[in-house]
Amino acid sequence: MRMSKMHLKTLREAPKEADLVSHKLLVRANLIRKLAAGIYGFMPLGWRSVRKIEQIVREEMDRIGGQEIHMPHVNPAELWKESGRWYAYGPELWRIQDRGGRDFILNPTCEEVFTDIVRSEVSSYRELPMTLYHIQFKYRDEARPRYGLMRSREFIMKDAYSFDRDPEGLDESYMAEWGAYERMFTRCGLNFRVVEADNGPIGGSRSHEFSALSDVGESELAFCTECDYAATIERAECTDDAPVVEEMEELKEVFTPGTKTIEDVCNYLELPVEKSIKALMFVTYDDDLNPAEYVAAFVRGDRQLNMIKLVNALGIPEHYIEFADEDAMGAVTGCVGGFTGPVGLKNCRIVVDSELVGTVNMCAGANKEDHHQTGVCYGRDYVGDIVTDIKVLAEGDRCPRCGKPIKHSRGIEVGQIFKLGTKYSDSMNAMYKDEQGNDCVYHMGCYGVGVTRTLQAVIEQNNDEHGIIWPVSVAPYEVIVTVVNPADETQMGLAASIEEELEKKGIEVLVDDRDERPGVKFKDADLIGIPVRITVGKLAGEDKVEYKLRRESDMNVMASADAVQAAVDLVLAERFGM
Ligand code: ATP
Ligand code: MG
């Protein structure tokens, strides 16, 4: 490809709204083009890299026996009502209507569609196990689309669905996908980690995230400094501290004027924070988004509430809950903003963190302005309607596996795999017949890869102050031949023959034959990050060129044939990506 004929509009400056290096580079290198918030188009170089990532994903899916199909982006609402997700998915679900007023959605994911295919087209155990997948645009009306392709409203996802006879079969399908994901992200050049994850609105019993390590990632990860335990913060299980054994004291009301926070009251009463109970008040909603009930959640004063664990404990989707207006709630439950405690609360669901079970002589709000209670004992003074782990595994806490200290880090979730079990086959009545002719439900798994988010994660991990440093496997072109003076026939002649030699070997070549200053060409080559640069300049008459890798600073002068050979060797060795 000759750059004089190519559409490429690189920019010196990034748009103001771009915070991440990768977002800036996507725009500056003219890979993407914004149309609306979270809605992007892909320009020639960007689209080539997208297609390469798709191809890697496809090859690894096919390797484990996945079959590619292609389903519509528009789904009838009926399917989603059948699974219940028309209600449960929430405001991210992009709803549309046709001219007749019939409801449709733009796919955010496709469990319903794939379950529907299998329930109507597959009938016998003989056809199992089966994995179907497609790679298509997905739509999620995200509350805060941001960071370019990281959190967009239209994005490309590969989603696969496995159908097995039993849990053992599902285990095998799940592990096969796991292996495929390790290969595909390795091939894309990502430094990633597999962590245990929460199932979220997709549902099911077990899940893992593939997280590209990055300080700017939106996933917060907890990992052990000793063993290989790693999980998202949402998911990470906590080990409860054993309650301190003490004589139970009397329940006492104490005057604690103006002490609305845990720190205030503990300072005032000279108590360690671990001797206090933190209260958080919520209201939940039903399917029609009418208020359903009040919820009071209690954790030890030094702990943080984990919202995902709380909604899981309540069995509701995340968007069915929000912080309560304490005045409105107080009128019904007796709580008092800043002074709420578990003793004597009424008309609300009390969720107690498991660590509070057995604790004695704690300090909590007295449900009375400017007052707390001391001597609060679990069991004697209050109990939970729900008692479970609802806290965050904090840095320095004990690893749930080995007890060593936990550390936090961040990552970009590029893929997630789920064991769904029978959630969708039950709700959508998807059955096959076994050897005896009995109807049995499918055991399903689903497996997503964010293709466009992966593209940006690769850039986030592979760049320097000059631009992108593409791994060969996903680079839009593999080699760039920069011609210092295209008006010079010798230089252009040599560049053309290098181009031809490389193309004969199947290498993807860009030739920068633009009428621009050499400095501009070098800057652009660095910005767009092509792995190998061959510069044809003054030494063309001697058949010599400069050979340079984007990821290295050294430049070597060599005979053009040697440069071609070096480029071919490098590209062929690295193109597969592992
Ligand atoms: P997140 O927690 O980041 O919102 P998710 O867990 O809701 O993502 P999944 O339903 O697991 O996402 O979707 C599969 C993959 O699709 C994700 O691992 C991610 O790589 C990608 N993805 C999800 N939402 C977006 C988005 N808004 N923009 C770009 N990629 C996305
Ligand atoms: Mg996910």
Side-chain angles (χ1 to χ4, degrees):
M1 179 81 202
R2 297 287 171 97
M3 283 177 75
S4 57
K5 300 278 184 301
M6 188 170 90
H7 175 75
L8 176 68
K9 183 101 187 114
T10 57
L11 301 174
R12 291 276 160 267
E13 300 291 330
K16 283 202 187 58
E17 67 188 42
D19 294 323
L20 305 190
V21 173
S22 52
H23 184 188
K24 291 181 180 153
L25 289 173
L26 277 167
V27 176
R28 287 192 50 217
N30 197 211
L31 304 182
I32 61 171
R33 187 181 164 75
K34 181 172 160 182
L35 219 60
I39 309 277
Y40 291 90
F42 295 86
M43 302 309 286
L45 293 180
W47 191 239
R48 286 178 72 95
S49 286
V50 167
R51 278 169 28 220
K52 287 198 177 175
I53 296 174
E54 284 184 353
Q55 187 54 23
I56 289 174
V57 170
R58 179 175 289 121
E59 285 169 15
E60 296 305 330
M61 289 306 299
D62 291 349
R63 188 190 302 280
I64 60 165
Q67 300 176 68
E68 186 172 6
I69 59 177
H70 196 271
M71 287 295 112
H73 298 93
V74 176
N75 285 189
E78 286 70 39
L79 265 183
W80 283 68
K81 289 185 176 158
E82 212 184 326
S83 73
R85 285 208 294 184
W86 174 258
Y87 313 99
Y89 208 95
E92 263 181 36
L93 189 61
W94 207 315
R95 296 155 208 263
I96 53 176
Q97 285 193 335
D98 69 7
R99 61 173 78 195
R102 280 174 292 261
D103 288 322
F104 290 85
I105 58 122
L106 297 175
N107 278 339
T109 171
C110 294
E111 284 73 14
E112 286 78 359
V113 179
F114 280 68
T115 308
D116 186 48
I117 297 172
V118 170
R119 81 173 158 186
S120 48
E121 296 197 3
V122 177
S123 52
S124 159
Y125 72 92
R126 285 193 202 88
E127 294 164 76
L128 303 179
M130 184 160 101
T131 295
L132 300 173
Y133 75 95
H134 62 175
I135 304 174
Q136 49 143 227
F137 279 98
K138 295 290 186 298
Y139 297 85
R140 294 185 185 180
D141 195 2
E142 298 273 357
R144 279 183 300 281
R146 55 187 173 162
Y147 304 146
L149 304 177
M150 292 280 192
R151 186 162 302 282
S152 45
R153 298 197 291 171
E154 178 181 81
F155 57 96
I156 301 176
M157 193 207 284
K158 180 283 299 180
D159 43 328
Y161 304 86
S162 67
F163 298 84
D164 275 279
R165 299 186 63 171
D166 47 34
E168 293 71 38
L170 170 56
D171 282 348
E172 271 177 44
S173 297
Y174 190 82
M175 291 318 295
E177 295 279 345
W178 183 315
Y181 276 43
E182 290 202 314
R183 287 178 62 87
M184 56 181 87
F185 294 127
T186 303
R187 288 183 60 188
C188 289
L190 283 180
N191 176 16
F192 65 95
R193 180 151 193 180
V194 191
V195 302
E196 284 184 22
D198 184 69
N199 283 64
I202 307 269
S205 61
R206 191 149 192 246
S207 176
H208 286 85
E209 262 181 37
F210 289 71
S211 203
L213 304 181
S214 162
D215 291 341
V216 300
E218 289 187 274
S219 288
E220 223 182 326
L221 313 176
F223 65 93
C224 179
T225 46
E226 188 77 19
C227 74
D228 61 4
Y229 181 78
T232 62
I233 292 291
E234 297 170 343
R235 162 78 191 186
E237 317 140 45
C238 299
T239 316
D240 292 345
D241 282 346
V244 180
V245 182
E246 282 173 4
E247 279 293 297
M248 281 196 211
E249 289 166 11
E250 235 178 283
L251 187 64
K252 258 203 283 199
E253 196 174 280
V254 287
F255 183 51
T256 53
T259 57
K260 289 211 167 192
T261 68
I262 289 285
E263 289 68 34
D264 289 348
V265 70
C266 289
N267 279 336
Y268 187 79
L269 297 176
E270 296 182 358
L271 284 174
V273 222
E274 306 88 74
K275 288 302 269 182
S276 68
I277 300 176
K278 189 188 281 180
L280 296 112
M281 254 55 66
F282 301 94
V283 57
T284 66
Y285 297 91
D286 62 17
D287 282 348
D288 300 319
L289 298 182
N290 296 316
E293 63 173 351
Y294 286 118
V295 171
F298 295 99
V299 294
R300 213 171 63 182
D302 59 320
R303 298 290 199 179
Q304 295 300 322
L305 176 73
N306 182 325
M307 275 308 287
I308 297 295
K309 289 184 183 175
L310 178 65
V311 295
N312 288 346
L314 293 166
I316 55 171
E318 229 180 312
H319 66 279
Y320 280 25
I321 191 166
E322 64 182 20
F323 280 106
D325 165 350
E326 293 194 18
D327 290 338
M329 186 174 174
V332 179
T333 65
C335 76
V336 174
F339 299 93
T340 298
V343 185
L345 273 189
K346 53 184 194 300
N347 304 324
C348 75
R349 191 104 76 106
I350 297 187
V351 186
V352 172
D353 182 51
S354 48
E355 193 168 54
L356 290 174
V357 173
T359 54
V360 297
N361 309 333
M362 303 288 278
C363 167
N367 299 318
K368 181 173 168 187
E369 192 69 31
D370 285 339
H371 285 79
H372 279 79
Q373 286 173 322
T374 56
V376 177
C377 299
Y378 187 83
R380 183 189 72 181
D381 303 321
Y382 73 102
V383 290
D385 299 316
I386 300 177
V387 178
T388 186
D389 171 21
I390 52 167
K391 59 194 163 303
V392 169
L393 182 65
E395 227 164 349
D397 283 353
R398 279 170 291 140
C399 167
R401 294 280 156 72
C402 76
K404 288 287 179 328
I406 285 292
K407 263 196 163 343
H408 284 183
S409 69
R410 303 192 80 83
I412 301 163
E413 178 198 326
V414 285
Q416 189 169 5
I417 58 179
F418 301 82
K419 279 192 191 174
L420 297 172
T422 60
K423 173 175 164 157
Y424 294 87
S425 27
D426 280 335
S427 64
M428 296 181 63
N429 204 22
M431 311 266 211
Y432 67 91
K433 290 213 185 297
D434 70 7
E435 290 89 334
Q436 285 77 43
N438 300 317
D439 286 328
C440 308
V441 288
Y442 292 101
H443 289 259
M444 288 176 56
C446 77
Y447 316 93
V449 170
V451 170
T452 42
R453 190 185 279 181
T454 297
L455 175 84
Q456 188 165 344
V458 171
I459 298 174
E460 192 60 47
Q461 286 189 351
N462 297 278
N463 67 74
D464 63 13
E465 70 271 30
H466 305 298
I468 303 167
I469 307 176
W470 287 113
V472 172
S473 59
V474 295
Y477 286 88
E478 294 159 332
V479 176
I480 182 164
V481 179
T482 303
V483 191
V484 173
N485 179 9
D488 177 321
E489 273 174 30
T490 316
Q491 289 186 23
M492 237 0 258
L494 182 57
S497 82
I498 292 171
E499 178 188 28
E500 195 185 328
E501 287 305 309
L502 287 169
E503 283 184 345
K504 261 198 240 158
K505 299 270 167 55
I507 308 295
E508 300 166 359
V509 196
L510 264 184
V511 178
D512 194 348
D513 60 340
R514 293 174 301 169
D515 181 19
E516 289 282 0
R517 281 177 293 117
V520 171
K521 296 182 192 176
F522 293 137
K523 271 209 159 61
D524 275 349
D526 280 351
L527 177 60
I528 65 176
I530 307 303
V532 183
R533 189 179 83 203
I534 296 174
T535 305
V536 180
K538 284 207 190 80
L539 297 174
E542 300 165 39
D543 192 33
K544 291 224 163 83
V545 296
E546 285 168 7
Y547 180 86
K548 181 181 175 301
L549 301 187
R550 176 66 182 88
R551 62 180 181 230
E552 288 175 6
S553 50
D554 303 354
M555 168 139 56
N556 288 307
V557 174
M558 56 178 86
S560 68
D562 293 340
V564 167
Q565 193 56 48
V568 170
D569 290 347
L570 180 112
V571 169
L572 295 186
E574 297 187 11
R575 183 185 271 164
F576 190 72
M578 69 192 290

